[in-house]
Amino acid sequence: MTDTTNSYNMPDERGHFGPYGGIFIAETLIPAVEELQTAYDQYMTDPDFMAELDKDFQHYVGRPSPLYHAERWSKELGGAQIYLKREDLNHTGAHKINNTIGQILLAKRMGKTRIIAETGAGQHGVATATVCARLGLECVVYMGAVDIARQALNVYRMQLLGAKVVSVSSGSKTLKDALNEAIRDWVTNVDNTFYIIGTVAGPAPYPEMVREFQAIIGREAREQCLTQAGKLPDALIACIGGGSNAIGLFHPFINDTDVKMFGVEAAGDGIETGRHSAAICAGRPGVLHGNRTYLIEDDDGEIIETHSISAGLDYPGVGPEHAWLNDIGRADYVSVTDEEALEGFHALTKLEGIIPALESSHAMAYTLKLAPTMKTDEIIIVNLSGRGDKDMHTMAEREGIKI
Amino acid sequence: MSRLETVFADFKKTGRKALIPFVTAGDPNPEFTVPLMHAMVEAGADIIELGVPFSDPMADGPVIQRASERALAHKMSLRRTLKIAAEFRQTNQTTPIVLMGYANPVEAMGYEAFADAANKAGIDGVLTVDLPPEEAADCAALLNTHNIDQIFLLAPNSAESRIKKMDAVGSGFLYYVSVKGITGAGHLDTADVERKLQLIRANTKIPVAIGFGIKEAETAKTISAFGDAVVVGSALISKVEANLDNPEKAKKEIIDLLQSMRTAMDEQV
Ligand SMILES: Cc1ncc(COP(=O)(O)O)c(C=O)c1O
């Protein structure tokens, strides 16, 4: 481990994490991100804003979320003590709300009246529709037609909350195409519209801003671990779609260089099949959706369709900070297949009575591999980024059950 | 003098405005594009914008998105787009070609390799929608050493400071996006364009092309008075899409539209 992370202060003032990040966007959006950067810089040091954010975290989201010692599962695996950071217990069922609460407070202060978002699993869409309902703001959510079919429950939730869900049927009809369409909306309605991006991607300042809103996960987990176990954890595990739940957990530990970090990408049918979503493990650097990062692309730089059983991980890129943490060796990026994720799903459900989201199940699957290799007095914190209610249809269908 | 400089210098004397058709390379098939480029020049095009198909065209409306999809279905790529340009250059050494596309195919090829290949293919300018000056320095410098202009954009919401910035970094021409929105958008306000162009003109001597939302001859004529060039894209590609079973008919309709624009714009002079 080099010293680089002891004084970690990425991104630089232009939103770069080494060669990654930046603002690769059309000219019409430049004033919008400049306006956002100004507001972000102003309010993140504004005590009133931070107090309002804290209050909402506590009373609306239900924070702090518990750090739960999964004793039975730990014993079963016979290795490290597994602690679950229970983001699944947040209002709306995932970590996504930490970010939408933060961004909507900014949007309100910036006087924006219309909110747009993209969504894959529908969790970010639901979290956005939720905060819009609460503030009475117009909300439009873009969602790929494939995802609309596999996350029907969340579509209905968004509609109940008053959001308009727009089906996107261009390209692969999944998350990346929803992002394209949201960007097209943003460029068209830039004056009154705030784009709530759901992960640590997009042009600066989004990767940093979303990280700061999600870092509550890691700040709490660090303190809880010290209180409950009397020491820091030895390893952190989180699944990686764009990487927001992972960076939220990782970031507050980044200078604790003895704490290992594992980001788990979706290997889908297996990396060797080409049907996966493992951008860092199997991609290479390129530019998409406003930033430079690892992408799944062909030799001509065309983006390749991805696959994962979990809609929330089915994306060809990854947040630029993860690209950087990979390159400097501060975090390790690994992948698990759909099949392995299902094992993780069942393990947690049967042994701990907690049904995880399919996204989070990828983190569970890697826990199945890592924990047995560690000593019983060592600690892993796994981010349980969301609950599995939304995935009941996918699971039932896979097991041939009609519900 | 570069080919782009020559076009605009000649027109400065005559008052004529440049007509710039945009077509996606390889749409609806790879064989269609080179003959179309020559025919467009004959119909009065002064510069050709050649769209590089991309899997995720975030700044484009449905018409150009579908053009990209059709071209990609034929395995069109940045490299093959350069081949098309090179083939056109074999018999036309004067009409400038500007590539228009997204950053990632260029990133994948590598800036150095791209600048070299583009120069060899006879490319004059490169407009990369998602590469604003903030991120363009490396690429622009390499293109410039290969005698290619990096074309930058201005938008209706670009402040005066931004125009000054483009004046400092830009060359060839500046592309004024005449509506807030995506290509093919339908609500062009000519009075807005006129006002904005006054502000742009007051801050730069670089020629200005105006594009987005220009669909027929009358608008082309009106708009051409405010800048140095008019870009027409989706309106042409709609002709391709309307005649997928008959590309020759598509070509004829494209030529007819360009000729009517040419005639109308020349009345303005
Ligand atoms: C429960 C859950 N976890 C993880 C993700 C992946 O996103 P990220 O990598 O930004 O945390 C999603 C996205 O929809 C999700 O719903």
Side-chain angles (χ1 to χ4, degrees):
Chain A
M1 185 63 44
T2 63
D3 277 352
T4 24
T5 52
N6 283 328
S7 53
Y8 188 87
N9 62 349
M10 287 294 196
D12 68 17
E13 70 288 348
R14 291 175 53 233
H16 291 116
F17 302 86
Y20 305 111
I23 48 166
F24 293 85
I25 49 172
E27 194 58 33
T28 312
L29 293 177
I30 293 282
V33 297
E34 284 178 347
E35 186 189 356
L36 176 60
Q37 181 78 54
T38 304
Y40 172 71
D41 291 344
Q42 177 186 344
Y43 291 115
M44 289 306 275
T45 53
D46 174 41
D48 287 345
F49 179 87
M50 294 314 284
E52 192 174 349
L53 183 63
D54 275 351
K55 183 164 154 247
D56 280 352
F57 272 165
Q58 210 182 120
H59 299 291
Y60 192 69
V61 178
R63 306 206 68 89
S65 69
L67 183 71
Y68 165 68
H69 185 188
E71 291 184 64
R72 184 155 183 243
W73 196 27
S74 306
K75 199 166 284 166
E76 167 94 9
L77 293 178
Q81 299 308 306
I82 302 164
Y83 285 75
L84 303 173
K85 182 58 176 165
R86 298 291 308 270
E87 293 300 300
D88 61 318
L89 295 178
N90 293 341
H91 179 41
T92 70
H95 68 293
K96 296 287 181 186
I97 190 116
N98 302 327
N99 171 43
T100 60
I101 282 275
Q103 289 199 48
I104 201 91
L105 292 182
L106 262 186
K108 192 174 79 172
R109 281 182 171 60
M110 290 168 71
K112 300 290 177 181
T113 54
R114 183 173 175 272
I115 303 295
I116 58 170
E118 85 295 338
T119 197
Q123 287 304 112
H124 173 59
V126 167
T128 303
T130 297
V131 295
C132 287
R134 180 166 176 247
L135 294 187
L137 294 176
E138 182 187 349
C139 179
V140 179
V141 179
Y142 291 93
M143 189 166 185
V146 168
D147 293 336
I148 285 189
R150 61 179 160 174
Q151 302 286 342
L153 209 57
N154 272 342
V155 174
Y156 183 55
R157 284 170 87 194
M158 287 184 265
Q159 287 163 343
L160 283 176
L161 289 160
K164 181 173 159 211
V165 180
V166 180
S167 172
V168 179
S169 37
S170 55
S172 58
K173 306 179 177 52
T174 58
L175 182 54
K176 86 169 168 75
D177 310 283
L179 250 140
N180 291 338
E181 210 54 38
I183 291 172
R184 292 182 188 118
D185 179 315
W186 194 21
V187 100
T188 306
N189 302 294
V190 59
D191 294 335
N192 70 344
T193 297
F194 188 105
Y195 181 13
I196 299 191
I197 295 184
T199 191
V200 282
Y206 282 98
E208 176 189 354
M209 175 173 72
V210 177
R211 176 190 81 194
E212 291 306 307
F213 292 140
Q214 290 292 3
I216 184 76
I217 302 172
R219 284 199 302 272
E220 286 175 6
R222 195 173 183 282
E223 214 180 286
Q224 289 165 320
C225 190
L226 286 171
T227 307
Q228 293 176 32
K231 59 174 185 172
L232 288 175
D234 298 282
L236 309 174
I237 300 178
C239 68
I240 306 269
S244 68
N245 86 89
I247 213 77
L249 176 63
F250 293 176
H251 193 258
F253 290 93
I254 222 151
N255 291 326
D256 301 316
T257 47
D258 290 337
V259 180
K260 293 198 179 70
M261 301 170 172
F262 297 93
V264 186
E265 297 192 312
D269 290 343
I271 287 188
E272 68 290 350
T273 66
R275 284 174 46 77
H276 62 80
S277 307
I280 296 182
C281 294
R284 60 175 179 146
V287 168
L288 184 71
H289 295 151
N291 61 111
R292 186 182 285 122
T293 187
Y294 281 88
L295 297 174
I296 300 171
E297 61 178 32
D298 68 14
D299 287 345
D300 292 316
E302 308 292 346
I303 306 305
I304 297 174
E305 284 190 22
T306 54
H307 168 77
S308 170
I309 188 173
S310 87
L313 306 187
D314 203 346
Y315 179 69
V318 61
E321 189 161 16
H322 289 292
W324 174 244
L325 292 176
N326 174 70
D327 286 10
I328 63 170
R330 178 62 189 94
D332 283 322
Y333 294 85
V334 297
S335 67
V336 305
T337 62
D338 287 354
E339 281 307 322
E340 291 171 320
L342 291 175
E343 281 172 41
F345 176 95
H346 286 301
L348 197 65
T349 302
K350 296 235 167 77
L351 290 170
E352 294 289 349
I354 299 172
I355 301 180
L358 282 172
E359 290 77 17
S360 323
S361 298
H362 287 70
M364 304 309 145
Y366 191 68
T367 307
L368 287 174
K369 296 187 188 184
L370 184 67
T373 69
M374 293 169 65
K375 298 198 213 67
T376 53
D377 62 349
E378 290 183 311
I379 294 172
I380 303 176
I381 296 180
V382 190
N383 204 1
L384 178 42
S385 56
R387 56 181 177 242
D389 307 27
K390 70 183 175 59
D391 297 312
M392 290 303 99
H393 274 108
T394 305
M395 289 304 295
E397 198 173 298
R398 206 167 165 107
E399 321 227 301
I401 296 162
K402 186 123 187 75
I403 47 175
Chain B
M1 237 204 279
S2 75
R3 277 185 285 260
L4 277 171
E5 281 171 325
T6 307
V7 167
F8 287 114
D10 286 353
F11 288 7
K12 198 141 236 145
K13 290 179 223 145
T14 60
R16 180 173 147 130
K17 302 300 169 76
L19 177 59
I20 312 183
F22 168 95
V23 291
T24 299
D27 173 39
N29 61 63
E31 293 71 40
F32 186 67
T33 307
V34 173
L36 176 65
M37 290 168 77
H38 287 302
M40 292 194 302
V41 172
E42 256 173 62
D46 303 293
I47 298 168
I48 290 176
E49 268 192 29
L50 199 52
V52 183
F54 182 49
S55 52
D56 293 81
M58 286 152 280
D60 286 300
V63 171
I64 296 181
Q65 285 175 46
R66 288 192 296 261
S68 246
E69 285 176 15
R70 286 192 295 270
L72 288 172
H74 285 98
K75 300 263 180 305
M76 192 45 58
S77 63
L78 176 56
R79 282 184 187 83
R80 292 186 69 193
T81 301
L82 291 174
K83 279 202 185 115
I84 284 177
E87 197 184 325
F88 171 81
R89 270 282 167 266
Q90 286 176 2
T91 48
N92 179 324
Q93 280 87 44
T94 52
T95 307
I97 305 174
V98 174
L99 291 185
M100 182 159 184
Y102 293 81
N104 201 48
V106 176
E107 293 259 327
M109 194 162 169
Y111 292 162
E112 180 92 61
F114 169 67
D116 187 47
N119 170 271
K120 291 195 172 113
I123 300 298
D124 302 282
V126 174
L127 195 169
T128 316
V129 178
D130 51 352
L131 202 67
E134 282 81 354
E135 305 290 349
D138 294 348
C139 187
L142 274 167
L143 288 174
N144 291 344
T145 61
H146 288 82
N147 301 315
I148 297 171
D149 294 305
Q150 177 100 42
I151 309 296
F152 290 105
L153 298 134
L154 283 167
N157 54 352
S158 300
E160 189 166 8
S161 56
R162 192 74 183 170
I163 301 170
K164 289 193 159 83
K165 176 164 197 159
M166 293 308 186
D167 179 56
V169 299
S171 66
F173 61 91
L174 296 175
Y175 186 130
Y176 178 64
V177 173
S178 44
V179 291
K180 280 180 220 152
I182 50 182
T183 52
H187 40 267
L188 181 63
D189 183 333
T190 52
D192 275 356
V193 177
E194 182 171 18
R195 261 193 306 277
K196 194 68 185 193
L197 259 293
Q198 280 166 3
L199 184 67
I200 294 173
R201 294 294 211 192
N203 286 283
T204 184
K205 295 269 177 296
I206 302 175
V208 183
I210 304 169
F212 275 41
I214 299 165
K215 296 191 165 86
E216 28 68 44
E218 264 321 288
T219 319
K221 175 179 170 179
T222 311
I223 291 290
S224 70
F226 310 144
D228 302 288
V230 167
V231 186
V232 52
S234 297
L236 303 181
I237 292 177
S238 299
K239 308 289 186 197
V240 175
E241 189 160 74
N243 297 289
L244 287 176
D245 51 350
N246 189 351
E248 279 312 304
K249 182 152 173 273
K251 189 158 117 189
K252 182 170 183 314
E253 289 182 11
I254 288 171
I255 297 315
D256 287 349
L257 180 55
L258 283 178
Q259 275 171 343
S260 71
M261 288 181 161
R262 175 81 274 161
T263 308
M265 284 164 63
D266 289 349
E267 282 165 14
Q268 179 77 41
V269 178

